[in-house]
Amino acid sequence: MIVFTFVHMKKLDLNNSRLLTPTMLDVFLKENDLLDTLTTIGSSAQGKPIYSYHKGNGPFKVLMWSQMHGNESTSTKAMLDFWMYLKTPAAFNLLDQCTFVMIPQLNPDGSDAYTRFNANEVDLNRDAIELSQPESIVLRSVYDQFEPHYCFNLHGQRTVFTAGNTYIPATISFLAPSADKNRTVTAARELAMGLIVSANNKLQKSIPDAVGRYDDSFNINCVGDYFTSLNTPTVLFEAGHFKDDYHRIIVRKHVLEAIIAMCNTIASSSITDFNVNSYFEIPENYKNLRDVEIFNIKTSTEGNFKTSANSVFYQFKELKKGADVVFIPEIELLDEGLKGLLKIDAQQHDALKNIVLDPLNPDYENLTKTISLLIYV
Ligand SMILES: [Zn+2]
């Protein structure tokens, strides 16, 4: 049997699973002598502690938070890498110039369940005004007390996004959120754009053409938009995908690279050196990628099936199973302009070459069952 192996899972640690539960985080923090240095700033809907880590004594105050969406663990790992970086001599200047408050896991319940939402099934990134959830109140209290000069809002995005209308997955996407409906480039927004340009200049050398820019429609309920409207430059990070890197080990390194680049820009007071127009030159995110494309599928009658290449597309659904996350291929019935990350020629594989579909009335069951057996992450 043919198995398309992207990454082997051998053991569960921060490198080998997309799952990052509060328990896993605690193990990491203990192993690295960090647990005792944290402050408990509140608790989640289910009563789990929410921590922050304070570091540095400089005049520029930077607030970062991650895993506001529990299934977006890559940027948390990059934040933890940043904590380790701050212990090295290379970071002395950053600690002299900046004071950091960093919340690694704002939504511990969602992180435990590997869901976007908190335990009350609320999207915390739509709760900035209502503050209906304890986690939202925790973030707002920290923001009010710390009065940051800059905020980093750390997230993760699905594999569907490309940087521009290309085949290149957006390995990282950024947004300088709008502060109003007219998407005015306010002073705060301009500073967020400058930070993004400074990071993009670095990233174009390490991951050329793989940086995207998120849509800037205004929504005051989103935390980044709200903080920007309060004149705090806020940068949205979206840890995305790199070819075959489903555990996002490579992506994590580039998110760290971006965090360090932006912090160095802040520490050296050089934000205004970066041209805001360059922000708008970063290609916008498109969402036409799918994880798997099976092409050259046999058809029972004349005519092409779905696309000229007789393709069927699958997208992985990520589900928590036991102490891990599994990737289940789900058929994608949209067929407009999709592109496959992994392309498989059905006629080149024994298990697929005899599958025949009627283009007018396709029965996908056998194909989907076969794909589920052939492909795992
Ligand atoms: Zn998110």
Side-chain angles (χ1 to χ4, degrees), residues 210-235:
V211 179
R213 177 167 53 90
Y214 243 84
D215 171 51
D216 65 352
S217 341
F218 178 66
N219 183 346
I220 192 74
N221 299 304
C222 298
V223 176
D225 302 47
Y226 179 67
F227 287 172
T228 307
S229 78
L230 299 179
N231 299 317
T232 308
T234 302
V235 174

PDB file of all heavy atoms in Angstrom, residues 210-235:
ATOM      1  N   ALA A 210       6.248  34.167   0.331  1.00  0.00           N
ATOM      2  CA  ALA A 210       5.354  33.340   1.149  1.00  0.00           C
ATOM      3  C   ALA A 210       4.739  34.122   2.314  1.00  0.00           C
ATOM      4  O   ALA A 210       4.274  33.539   3.285  1.00  0.00           O
ATOM      5  CB  ALA A 210       6.108  32.113   1.672  1.00  0.00           C
ATOM      6  N   VAL A 211       4.743  35.446   2.198  1.00  0.00           N
ATOM      7  CA  VAL A 211       4.119  36.285   3.228  1.00  0.00           C
ATOM      8  C   VAL A 211       2.861  36.925   2.634  1.00  0.00           C
ATOM      9  O   VAL A 211       2.903  37.470   1.530  1.00  0.00           O
ATOM     10  CB  VAL A 211       5.084  37.389   3.723  1.00  0.00           C
ATOM     11  CG1 VAL A 211       4.414  38.268   4.781  1.00  0.00           C
ATOM     12  CG2 VAL A 211       6.362  36.766   4.277  1.00  0.00           C
ATOM     13  N   GLY A 212       1.768  36.801   3.354  1.00  0.00           N
ATOM     14  CA  GLY A 212       0.491  37.343   2.880  1.00  0.00           C
ATOM     15  C   GLY A 212      -0.013  38.465   3.773  1.00  0.00           C
ATOM     16  O   GLY A 212       0.487  38.673   4.882  1.00  0.00           O
ATOM     17  N   ARG A 213      -1.018  39.160   3.245  1.00  0.00           N
ATOM     18  CA  ARG A 213      -1.621  40.271   3.999  1.00  0.00           C
ATOM     19  C   ARG A 213      -3.108  39.994   4.121  1.00  0.00           C
ATOM     20  O   ARG A 213      -3.785  39.715   3.135  1.00  0.00           O
ATOM     21  CB  ARG A 213      -1.369  41.578   3.232  1.00  0.00           C
ATOM     22  CG  ARG A 213      -1.982  42.809   3.840  1.00  0.00           C
ATOM     23  CD  ARG A 213      -1.401  44.065   3.174  1.00  0.00           C
ATOM     24  NE  ARG A 213      -1.517  44.043   1.724  1.00  0.00           N
ATOM     25  CZ  ARG A 213      -2.561  44.534   1.034  1.00  0.00           C
ATOM     26  NH1 ARG A 213      -3.557  45.101   1.664  1.00  0.00           N
ATOM     27  NH2 ARG A 213      -2.580  44.464  -0.283  1.00  0.00           N
ATOM     28  N   TYR A 214      -3.605  40.080   5.340  1.00  0.00           N
ATOM     29  CA  TYR A 214      -5.010  39.783   5.601  1.00  0.00           C
ATOM     30  C   TYR A 214      -5.909  40.938   5.199  1.00  0.00           C
ATOM     31  O   TYR A 214      -5.514  42.097   5.216  1.00  0.00           O
ATOM     32  CB  TYR A 214      -5.208  39.493   7.097  1.00  0.00           C
ATOM     33  CG  TYR A 214      -5.679  38.093   7.337  1.00  0.00           C
ATOM     34  CD1 TYR A 214      -4.786  37.037   7.417  1.00  0.00           C
ATOM     35  CD2 TYR A 214      -7.044  37.820   7.444  1.00  0.00           C
ATOM     36  CE1 TYR A 214      -5.222  35.750   7.607  1.00  0.00           C
ATOM     37  CE2 TYR A 214      -7.486  36.529   7.641  1.00  0.00           C
ATOM     38  CZ  TYR A 214      -6.570  35.501   7.723  1.00  0.00           C
ATOM     39  OH  TYR A 214      -7.025  34.226   7.908  1.00  0.00           O
ATOM     40  N   ASP A 215      -7.129  40.587   4.922  1.00  0.00           N
ATOM     41  CA  ASP A 215      -8.178  41.548   4.610  1.00  0.00           C
ATOM     42  C   ASP A 215      -8.393  42.497   5.792  1.00  0.00           C
ATOM     43  O   ASP A 215      -8.448  42.056   6.936  1.00  0.00           O
ATOM     44  CB  ASP A 215      -9.452  40.738   4.329  1.00  0.00           C
ATOM     45  CG  ASP A 215     -10.671  41.610   4.206  1.00  0.00           C
ATOM     46  OD1 ASP A 215     -10.621  42.579   3.446  1.00  0.00           O
ATOM     47  OD2 ASP A 215     -11.674  41.324   4.893  1.00  0.00           O
ATOM     48  N   ASP A 216      -8.521  43.802   5.509  1.00  0.00           N
ATOM     49  CA  ASP A 216      -8.587  44.778   6.604  1.00  0.00           C
ATOM     50  C   ASP A 216      -9.985  45.353   6.843  1.00  0.00           C
ATOM     51  O   ASP A 216     -10.123  46.460   7.339  1.00  0.00           O
ATOM     52  CB  ASP A 216      -7.564  45.904   6.376  1.00  0.00           C
ATOM     53  CG  ASP A 216      -7.877  46.739   5.139  1.00  0.00           C
ATOM     54  OD1 ASP A 216      -8.792  46.356   4.372  1.00  0.00           O
ATOM     55  OD2 ASP A 216      -7.201  47.762   4.938  1.00  0.00           O
ATOM     56  N   SER A 217     -11.034  44.562   6.511  1.00  0.00           N
ATOM     57  CA  SER A 217     -12.376  45.056   6.850  1.00  0.00           C
ATOM     58  C   SER A 217     -12.462  45.247   8.364  1.00  0.00           C
ATOM     59  O   SER A 217     -11.943  44.436   9.121  1.00  0.00           O
ATOM     60  CB  SER A 217     -13.481  44.085   6.445  1.00  0.00           C
ATOM     61  OG  SER A 217     -13.054  43.184   5.502  1.00  0.00           O
ATOM     62  N   PHE A 218     -13.139  46.305   8.735  1.00  0.00           N
ATOM     63  CA  PHE A 218     -13.170  46.697  10.150  1.00  0.00           C
ATOM     64  C   PHE A 218     -14.246  45.936  10.921  1.00  0.00           C
ATOM     65  O   PHE A 218     -15.371  45.805  10.456  1.00  0.00           O
ATOM     66  CB  PHE A 218     -13.446  48.204  10.234  1.00  0.00           C
ATOM     67  CG  PHE A 218     -13.549  48.727  11.637  1.00  0.00           C
ATOM     68  CD1 PHE A 218     -12.451  48.717  12.476  1.00  0.00           C
ATOM     69  CD2 PHE A 218     -14.751  49.242  12.110  1.00  0.00           C
ATOM     70  CE1 PHE A 218     -12.542  49.212  13.775  1.00  0.00           C
ATOM     71  CE2 PHE A 218     -14.845  49.747  13.396  1.00  0.00           C
ATOM     72  CZ  PHE A 218     -13.745  49.732  14.227  1.00  0.00           C
ATOM     73  N   ASN A 219     -13.874  45.426  12.081  1.00  0.00           N
ATOM     74  CA  ASN A 219     -14.846  44.809  12.982  1.00  0.00           C
ATOM     75  C   ASN A 219     -14.420  45.146  14.408  1.00  0.00           C
ATOM     76  O   ASN A 219     -13.470  44.577  14.935  1.00  0.00           O
ATOM     77  CB  ASN A 219     -14.878  43.288  12.759  1.00  0.00           C
ATOM     78  CG  ASN A 219     -15.929  42.603  13.637  1.00  0.00           C
ATOM     79  OD1 ASN A 219     -16.456  43.210  14.585  1.00  0.00           O
ATOM     80  ND2 ASN A 219     -16.235  41.355  13.324  1.00  0.00           N
ATOM     81  N   ILE A 220     -15.144  46.062  15.020  1.00  0.00           N
ATOM     82  CA  ILE A 220     -14.768  46.572  16.353  1.00  0.00           C
ATOM     83  C   ILE A 220     -14.765  45.471  17.417  1.00  0.00           C
ATOM     84  O   ILE A 220     -14.147  45.603  18.465  1.00  0.00           O
ATOM     85  CB  ILE A 220     -15.703  47.751  16.762  1.00  0.00           C
ATOM     86  CG1 ILE A 220     -15.181  48.514  17.985  1.00  0.00           C
ATOM     87  CG2 ILE A 220     -17.120  47.268  17.033  1.00  0.00           C
ATOM     88  CD1 ILE A 220     -14.003  49.405  17.737  1.00  0.00           C
ATOM     89  N   ASN A 221     -15.463  44.351  17.125  1.00  0.00           N
ATOM     90  CA  ASN A 221     -15.498  43.240  18.087  1.00  0.00           C
ATOM     91  C   ASN A 221     -14.210  42.421  18.104  1.00  0.00           C
ATOM     92  O   ASN A 221     -13.993  41.604  18.997  1.00  0.00           O
ATOM     93  CB  ASN A 221     -16.681  42.312  17.775  1.00  0.00           C
ATOM     94  CG  ASN A 221     -17.996  43.051  17.870  1.00  0.00           C
ATOM     95  OD1 ASN A 221     -18.297  43.630  18.900  1.00  0.00           O
ATOM     96  ND2 ASN A 221     -18.760  43.063  16.777  1.00  0.00           N
ATOM     97  N   CYS A 222     -13.379  42.615  17.063  1.00  0.00           N
ATOM     98  CA  CYS A 222     -12.081  41.931  17.038  1.00  0.00           C
ATOM     99  C   CYS A 222     -11.103  42.729  17.890  1.00  0.00           C
ATOM    100  O   CYS A 222     -11.048  43.958  17.816  1.00  0.00           O
ATOM    101  CB  CYS A 222     -11.540  41.838  15.608  1.00  0.00           C
ATOM    102  SG  CYS A 222     -12.595  40.888  14.513  1.00  0.00           S
ATOM    103  N   VAL A 223     -10.321  42.015  18.667  1.00  0.00           N
ATOM    104  CA  VAL A 223      -9.459  42.682  19.642  1.00  0.00           C
ATOM    105  C   VAL A 223      -8.461  43.630  18.960  1.00  0.00           C
ATOM    106  O   VAL A 223      -8.246  44.753  19.430  1.00  0.00           O
ATOM    107  CB  VAL A 223      -8.725  41.624  20.499  1.00  0.00           C
ATOM    108  CG1 VAL A 223      -7.747  42.291  21.445  1.00  0.00           C
ATOM    109  CG2 VAL A 223      -9.739  40.806  21.286  1.00  0.00           C
ATOM    110  N   GLY A 224      -7.870  43.177  17.848  1.00  0.00           N
ATOM    111  CA  GLY A 224      -6.878  44.010  17.164  1.00  0.00           C
ATOM    112  C   GLY A 224      -7.481  45.311  16.654  1.00  0.00           C
ATOM    113  O   GLY A 224      -6.872  46.388  16.779  1.00  0.00           O
ATOM    114  N   ASP A 225      -8.667  45.230  16.090  1.00  0.00           N
ATOM    115  CA  ASP A 225      -9.348  46.422  15.580  1.00  0.00           C
ATOM    116  C   ASP A 225      -9.669  47.370  16.747  1.00  0.00           C
ATOM    117  O   ASP A 225      -9.490  48.588  16.654  1.00  0.00           O
ATOM    118  CB  ASP A 225     -10.657  46.049  14.858  1.00  0.00           C
ATOM    119  CG  ASP A 225     -10.425  45.086  13.704  1.00  0.00           C
ATOM    120  OD1 ASP A 225      -9.690  44.089  13.888  1.00  0.00           O
ATOM    121  OD2 ASP A 225     -10.970  45.315  12.612  1.00  0.00           O
ATOM    122  N   TYR A 226     -10.126  46.768  17.848  1.00  0.00           N
ATOM    123  CA  TYR A 226     -10.504  47.593  18.996  1.00  0.00           C
ATOM    124  C   TYR A 226      -9.284  48.312  19.594  1.00  0.00           C
ATOM    125  O   TYR A 226      -9.316  49.521  19.826  1.00  0.00           O
ATOM    126  CB  TYR A 226     -11.200  46.727  20.053  1.00  0.00           C
ATOM    127  CG  TYR A 226     -11.585  47.513  21.273  1.00  0.00           C
ATOM    128  CD1 TYR A 226     -12.569  48.513  21.198  1.00  0.00           C
ATOM    129  CD2 TYR A 226     -10.959  47.307  22.499  1.00  0.00           C
ATOM    130  CE1 TYR A 226     -12.908  49.268  22.309  1.00  0.00           C
ATOM    131  CE2 TYR A 226     -11.294  48.056  23.609  1.00  0.00           C
ATOM    132  CZ  TYR A 226     -12.266  49.038  23.510  1.00  0.00           C
ATOM    133  OH  TYR A 226     -12.593  49.785  24.614  1.00  0.00           O
ATOM    134  N   PHE A 227      -8.196  47.559  19.790  1.00  0.00           N
ATOM    135  CA  PHE A 227      -6.993  48.189  20.368  1.00  0.00           C
ATOM    136  C   PHE A 227      -6.425  49.244  19.410  1.00  0.00           C
ATOM    137  O   PHE A 227      -5.917  50.276  19.849  1.00  0.00           O
ATOM    138  CB  PHE A 227      -5.934  47.134  20.708  1.00  0.00           C
ATOM    139  CG  PHE A 227      -6.252  46.290  21.931  1.00  0.00           C
ATOM    140  CD1 PHE A 227      -5.463  45.190  22.254  1.00  0.00           C
ATOM    141  CD2 PHE A 227      -7.328  46.589  22.761  1.00  0.00           C
ATOM    142  CE1 PHE A 227      -5.747  44.410  23.381  1.00  0.00           C
ATOM    143  CE2 PHE A 227      -7.628  45.811  23.881  1.00  0.00           C
ATOM    144  CZ  PHE A 227      -6.828  44.719  24.183  1.00  0.00           C
ATOM    145  N   THR A 228      -6.498  48.974  18.104  1.00  0.00           N
ATOM    146  CA  THR A 228      -6.024  49.978  17.142  1.00  0.00           C
ATOM    147  C   THR A 228      -6.896  51.234  17.228  1.00  0.00           C
ATOM    148  O   THR A 228      -6.388  52.355  17.151  1.00  0.00           O
ATOM    149  CB  THR A 228      -6.032  49.420  15.703  1.00  0.00           C
ATOM    150  OG1 THR A 228      -5.305  48.187  15.676  1.00  0.00           O
ATOM    151  CG2 THR A 228      -5.392  50.389  14.722  1.00  0.00           C
ATOM    152  N   SER A 229      -8.209  51.029  17.430  1.00  0.00           N
ATOM    153  CA  SER A 229      -9.108  52.193  17.543  1.00  0.00           C
ATOM    154  C   SER A 229      -8.801  52.997  18.809  1.00  0.00           C
ATOM    155  O   SER A 229      -9.137  54.175  18.898  1.00  0.00           O
ATOM    156  CB  SER A 229     -10.580  51.757  17.517  1.00  0.00           C
ATOM    157  OG  SER A 229     -10.961  51.240  18.782  1.00  0.00           O
ATOM    158  N   LEU A 230      -8.150  52.350  19.791  1.00  0.00           N
ATOM    159  CA  LEU A 230      -7.719  53.072  21.003  1.00  0.00           C
ATOM    160  C   LEU A 230      -6.306  53.644  20.831  1.00  0.00           C
ATOM    161  O   LEU A 230      -5.649  54.016  21.809  1.00  0.00           O
ATOM    162  CB  LEU A 230      -7.730  52.128  22.215  1.00  0.00           C
ATOM    163  CG  LEU A 230      -9.068  51.508  22.612  1.00  0.00           C
ATOM    164  CD1 LEU A 230      -8.894  50.572  23.809  1.00  0.00           C
ATOM    165  CD2 LEU A 230     -10.100  52.585  22.947  1.00  0.00           C
ATOM    166  N   ASN A 231      -5.831  53.632  19.593  1.00  0.00           N
ATOM    167  CA  ASN A 231      -4.518  54.200  19.230  1.00  0.00           C
ATOM    168  C   ASN A 231      -3.323  53.386  19.719  1.00  0.00           C
ATOM    169  O   ASN A 231      -2.238  53.933  19.902  1.00  0.00           O
ATOM    170  CB  ASN A 231      -4.380  55.651  19.705  1.00  0.00           C
ATOM    171  CG  ASN A 231      -5.428  56.541  19.067  1.00  0.00           C
ATOM    172  OD1 ASN A 231      -5.680  56.412  17.865  1.00  0.00           O
ATOM    173  ND2 ASN A 231      -6.067  57.381  19.857  1.00  0.00           N
ATOM    174  N   THR A 232      -3.516  52.086  19.921  1.00  0.00           N
ATOM    175  CA  THR A 232      -2.377  51.208  20.224  1.00  0.00           C
ATOM    176  C   THR A 232      -2.042  50.416  18.956  1.00  0.00           C
ATOM    177  O   THR A 232      -2.872  49.633  18.490  1.00  0.00           O
ATOM    178  CB  THR A 232      -2.719  50.215  21.356  1.00  0.00           C
ATOM    179  OG1 THR A 232      -3.242  50.937  22.460  1.00  0.00           O
ATOM    180  CG2 THR A 232      -1.473  49.430  21.773  1.00  0.00           C
ATOM    181  N   PRO A 233      -0.844  50.623  18.396  1.00  0.00           N
ATOM    182  CA  PRO A 233      -0.470  49.848  17.209  1.00  0.00           C
ATOM    183  C   PRO A 233      -0.508  48.358  17.547  1.00  0.00           C
ATOM    184  O   PRO A 233       0.132  47.912  18.503  1.00  0.00           O
ATOM    185  CB  PRO A 233       0.975  50.290  16.922  1.00  0.00           C
ATOM    186  CG  PRO A 233       1.161  51.568  17.681  1.00  0.00           C
ATOM    187  CD  PRO A 233       0.215  51.535  18.845  1.00  0.00           C
ATOM    188  N   THR A 234      -1.290  47.616  16.782  1.00  0.00           N
ATOM    189  CA  THR A 234      -1.494  46.187  17.049  1.00  0.00           C
ATOM    190  C   THR A 234      -1.248  45.414  15.770  1.00  0.00           C
ATOM    191  O   THR A 234      -1.773  45.770  14.717  1.00  0.00           O
ATOM    192  CB  THR A 234      -2.935  45.955  17.561  1.00  0.00           C
ATOM    193  OG1 THR A 234      -3.130  46.745  18.737  1.00  0.00           O
ATOM    194  CG2 THR A 234      -3.196  44.497  17.881  1.00  0.00           C
ATOM    195  N   VAL A 235      -0.428  44.375  15.875  1.00  0.00           N
ATOM    196  CA  VAL A 235      -0.117  43.571  14.692  1.00  0.00           C
ATOM    197  C   VAL A 235      -0.753  42.197  14.852  1.00  0.00           C
ATOM    198  O   VAL A 235      -0.563  41.540  15.884  1.00  0.00           O
ATOM    199  CB  VAL A 235       1.412  43.402  14.514  1.00  0.00           C
ATOM    200  CG1 VAL A 235       1.712  42.439  13.363  1.00  0.00           C
ATOM    201  CG2 VAL A 235       2.078  44.749  14.260  1.00  0.00           C
TER     202      VAL A 235
END
